Amino acid sequence: MSINIAIDGPAGAGKSTIAKKLAKELAFIYVDTGAMYRAIALYLLRNGMEKEDAQTIAKCCSKIDVGIQYQNGEQCVMLNGENVNSFIRTEDVSRVTSKISVYPQVRAKLSDLQQKVARDNDVIMDGRDIGTCVLPHAQVKIYLTASVSARAKRRYEELRARGEEPELAQIEADIKERDDRDMHREIAPLKKAEDAVLIDSSEMSIREVVTAILELLKKNGIKRKGVSVAKFAGFCFGVKRAVNKVYEHADIQNRPIYTYGPIIHNEEVVRDLEAKGVMVVDSYEQLASLPKGIVIIRSHGVPKEVYDQITQAGFEIEDATCPFVLKIHQIVQDFSKDGYEIVIIGNSTHPEVEGIKGWCDPQHTTVISQKEDAEKYIPKQGKSVCIVSQTTFNYKKFQELVEIIRKKGYINDIRVLNTICNATEERQNEAEDLAKTSDAMIVIGGKSSSNTQKLYEICKEKCKNTYYIQTVADLDLSQTGHIDNVGITAGASTPKNIIEEVQKYVRTKL
Ligand code: F3S
């Protein structure tokens, strides 16, 4: 038996965006009901019948068959067997669609066609009367709504992003009017089906809504099948850039290549680079005794004096410091010059923090990593303070520590610059969501990678079958029992090929 999920709700609640994302996650068909109306309008246009009255149009409906099919991964609207995707988005089709969509006979025809698609396939359908009229027997019904002001704000932002200058009050008024029309129309008015679950997305992001629905579906025994790899798994932008730079140099090797510290926390990659002749050096002293060549600075960055030492010793520098970290170097350098005390919120032994410290006056720089440090911190009476953060620091903790410093009261001027990189947060949020809806979760990363360890903890809390592996060789799924789906994420230092190997292996086991 096919599985049907109905999503109803007022205009602007994000139904189609959410439904499409869910369909992708679950490998269901997303039934674009609007596109099906458009296909009928196209038929009428092609046959010169768009001006006919409702009765005549109703009669010709018997000659129309509209369905949804997937061809090469693309959803296609089929009109009497023809893929009409590229013909149904014209102005003429829109005009005829809005005219015929109010005809009861057309609605009835469409309802029949939609029910047919739903009988033969696992579908997600969104609209205003899906749970109440079209699919009254859907296994899961959701009524997705949001306050008028939240919907108006979203629409306002959307229009602004397109370069328009809309009026928020007017958008609100239009939405109210539309709701009123939809809720009080004669045929199939918008209303929540009695057995629908209400989700108010006013304060939720798209990601949060999708996760909430996936959790709800899981409770109803409807699960994603197969393997899902997190979008943000593996290298972040800065790490990818740094690793690529090393490989580029290794490929045209015509002089010794060194990385100042391991380029990433991943033994496999470091070994692979070593095999290509790239040597890791840990200090200037070590470097000084080696033949001249190029030194690649990793994404964490280094103190200013390291650049000076390397250059003075006659080595060339390839700077792969992440641009977000370079920005912090610039900030602390500028504020230091202007006489500010610098506070770096982060882990004092982390190479990135050591690097940042090297761009400010050491006499006027403090690293704060926990509450006690912040409480003990005594800025010079009346002195101005600039606070920055390690890029991978937790935002909530950063705010707490900043607040403690702010309350000290006697600081002249306090500049707080949130320099946390959102790549870490995105990765963690996504891993958490994936773990919530997975039967088993695999976290891939180096043993010494702290961001991978953190990912593992987050996933383990949401999914008890969570495994921390370095490579596919560490993976043993024999203890998991029956599982329908597996989620995969990876720390920022995990190369793509390792993620792919794990993904391939897991597919063979499901
Ligand atoms: Fe750069 Fe952010 Fe990665 S600071 S190194 S992109 S975590």
Side-chain angles (χ1 to χ4, degrees):
M1 197 176 96
S2 61
I3 299 169
N4 297 170
I5 298 165
I7 304 181
D8 289 308
K15 298 186 298 293
S16 59
T17 310
I18 303 288
K20 279 181 205 159
K21 286 191 182 289
L22 287 167
K24 204 169 164 211
E25 283 277 336
L26 296 161
F28 277 27
I29 286 185
Y30 165 62
V31 181
D32 185 343
T33 52
M36 292 177 83
Y37 273 106
R38 284 174 172 272
I40 294 188
L42 178 69
Y43 178 91
L44 298 173
L45 271 166
R46 281 177 169 178
N47 290 279
M49 298 181 67
E50 75 276 15
K51 292 203 177 92
E52 300 289 350
D53 58 42
Q55 294 304 324
T56 318
I57 288 175
K59 269 188 215 148
C60 100
C61 275
S62 60
K63 297 182 193 143
I64 306 174
D65 182 37
V66 179
I68 303 279
Q69 268 183 22
Y70 275 84
Q71 293 177 1
N72 302 323
E74 187 202 4
Q75 192 191 65
C76 305
V77 181
M78 308 299 289
L79 171 62
N80 292 338
E82 177 196 354
N83 173 3
V84 290
N85 272 11
S86 42
F87 307 110
I88 57 174
R89 303 282 167 199
T90 65
E91 278 301 308
D92 280 350
V93 170
S94 300
R95 180 177 44 77
V96 178
T97 304
S98 75
K99 179 186 155 194
I100 60 161
S101 61
V102 294
Y103 295 166
Q105 295 89 339
V106 175
R107 295 192 74 86
K109 171 75 184 178
L110 245 300
S111 210
D112 277 354
L113 292 169
Q114 289 158 358
Q115 284 165 352
K116 186 169 164 255
V117 178
R119 253 194 318 274
D120 302 339
N121 304 279
D122 293 337
V123 298
I124 297 185
M125 220 180 270
D126 72 300
R128 305 225 181 354
D129 60 349
I130 307 297
T132 48
C133 301
V134 182
L135 301 176
H137 303 298
Q139 286 88 338
V140 177
K141 294 179 193 170
I142 290 151
Y143 189 82
L144 182 64
T145 188
S147 66
V148 171
S149 61
R151 283 182 281 149
K153 211 163 155 236
R154 285 175 199 163
R155 182 74 185 138
Y156 175 80
E157 302 294 350
E158 214 176 279
L159 295 171
R160 297 259 307 177
R162 280 195 225 151
E164 295 179 33
E165 286 186 12
E167 275 191 34
L168 189 58
Q170 186 57 49
I171 298 175
E172 278 204 25
D174 292 346
I175 289 179
K176 276 185 196 152
E177 196 203 318
R178 173 87 192 261
D179 283 357
D180 191 57
R181 227 184 316 134
D182 286 342
M183 286 171 186
H184 297 102
R185 69 187 182 194
E186 239 172 77
I187 309 159
L190 167 67
K191 65 174 180 193
K192 177 181 165 295
E194 273 179 20
D195 50 349
V197 175
L198 185 133
I199 296 181
D200 183 340
S201 70
S202 306
E203 304 287 327
M204 295 166 88
S205 64
I206 291 174
R207 178 184 62 77
E208 286 167 336
V209 177
V210 171
T211 306
I213 298 178
L214 284 172
E215 281 184 88
L216 172 73
L217 297 177
K218 195 175 171 192
K219 280 187 199 137
N220 282 273
I222 301 168
K223 288 193 275 186
R224 224 180 45 232
K225 298 256 188 289
V227 184
S228 298
V229 181
K231 201 166 80 199
F232 297 113
F235 290 177
C236 61
F237 151 78
V239 168
K240 193 170 173 184
R241 181 173 166 272
V243 173
N244 284 348
K245 276 185 194 279
V246 185
Y247 274 104
E248 276 163 26
H249 282 285
D251 287 344
I252 46 158
Q253 195 185 36
N254 50 12
R255 62 199 148 149
I257 304 167
Y258 308 102
T259 62
Y260 203 84
I263 194 75
I264 52 170
H265 299 293
N266 187 288
E267 292 163 22
E268 300 276 318
V269 175
V270 173
R271 266 201 301 272
D272 185 47
L273 285 168
E274 262 167 20
K276 290 178 185 289
V278 178
M279 184 178 173
V280 178
V281 291
D282 293 314
S283 64
Y284 165 70
E285 289 71 30
Q286 185 190 358
L287 188 66
S289 60
L290 294 167
K292 301 285 175 279
I294 186 156
V295 181
I296 302 166
I297 308 288
R298 58 188 174 173
S299 57
H300 294 320
V302 290
K304 185 176 181 308
E305 68 164 352
V306 172
Y307 285 89
D308 297 341
Q309 286 171 336
I310 296 173
T311 322
Q312 277 158 22
F315 289 86
E316 194 188 316
I317 290 179
E318 169 73 272
D319 192 359
T321 307
C322 176
F324 301 134
V325 177
L326 283 177
K327 194 174 151 212
I328 307 178
H329 293 176
Q330 193 61 54
I331 292 171
V332 295
Q333 195 180 22
D334 292 348
F335 276 95
S336 266
K337 275 189 197 144
D338 289 346
Y340 280 70
E341 291 272 313
I342 304 293
V343 169
I344 306 164
I345 296 193
N347 173 354
S348 62
T349 57
H350 192 282
E352 180 191 318
V353 173
E354 281 170 357
I356 300 170
K357 268 195 311 197
W359 290 87
C360 10
D361 177 350
Q363 301 302 315
H364 296 282
T365 302
T366 311
V367 178
I368 286 177
S369 59
Q370 50 192 344
K371 230 171 130 198
E372 294 72 40
D373 302 337
E375 277 156 1
K376 267 192 267 159
Y377 174 61
I378 308 173
K380 295 217 169 69
Q381 196 81 8
K383 179 113 181 167
S384 304
V385 175
C386 163
I387 306 178
V388 294
S389 170
Q390 182 181 339
T391 54
T392 49
F393 207 74
N394 178 287
Y395 178 60
K396 240 174 147 181
K397 216 170 147 196
F398 172 73
Q399 278 179 313
E400 277 168 26
L401 299 176
V402 167
E403 267 328 287
I404 296 174
I405 300 169
R406 265 192 210 283
K407 283 190 185 136
K408 297 194 182 279
Y410 49 78
I411 303 170
N412 259 356
D413 176 21
I414 180 161
R415 302 292 180 95
V416 180
L417 294 125
N418 172 7
T419 48
I420 296 170
C421 170
N422 59 12
T424 310
E425 201 187 337
E426 280 172 342
R427 186 194 316 274
Q428 291 178 354
N429 287 342
E430 198 197 15
E432 184 176 356
D433 289 348
L434 196 55
K436 278 182 197 165
T437 56
S438 296
D439 291 341
M441 192 71 202
I442 298 167
V443 182
I444 317 167
K447 268 190 285 191
S448 55
S449 157
S450 59
N451 78 80
T452 311
Q453 179 64 42
K454 182 78 192 147
L455 278 179
Y456 172 72
E457 286 161 18
I458 289 170
C459 294
K460 183 80 183 171
E461 212 182 299
K462 302 293 171 195
C463 172
K464 63 177 174 29
N465 285 328
T466 296
Y467 302 91
Y468 188 161
I469 60 167
Q470 292 206 81
T471 68
V472 71
D474 306 330
L475 190 58
D476 175 14
L477 287 175
S478 60
Q479 306 299 316
T480 51
H482 175 77
I483 48 173
D484 287 316
N485 61 40
V486 174
I488 298 176
T489 188
S493 308
T494 309
K496 211 167 151 196
N497 65 315
I498 296 185
I499 302 172
E500 277 168 0
E501 266 171 35
V502 173
Q503 186 185 352
K504 264 192 212 152
Y505 174 78
V506 178
R507 279 193 205 287
T508 64
K509 296 285 158 195
L510 279 183

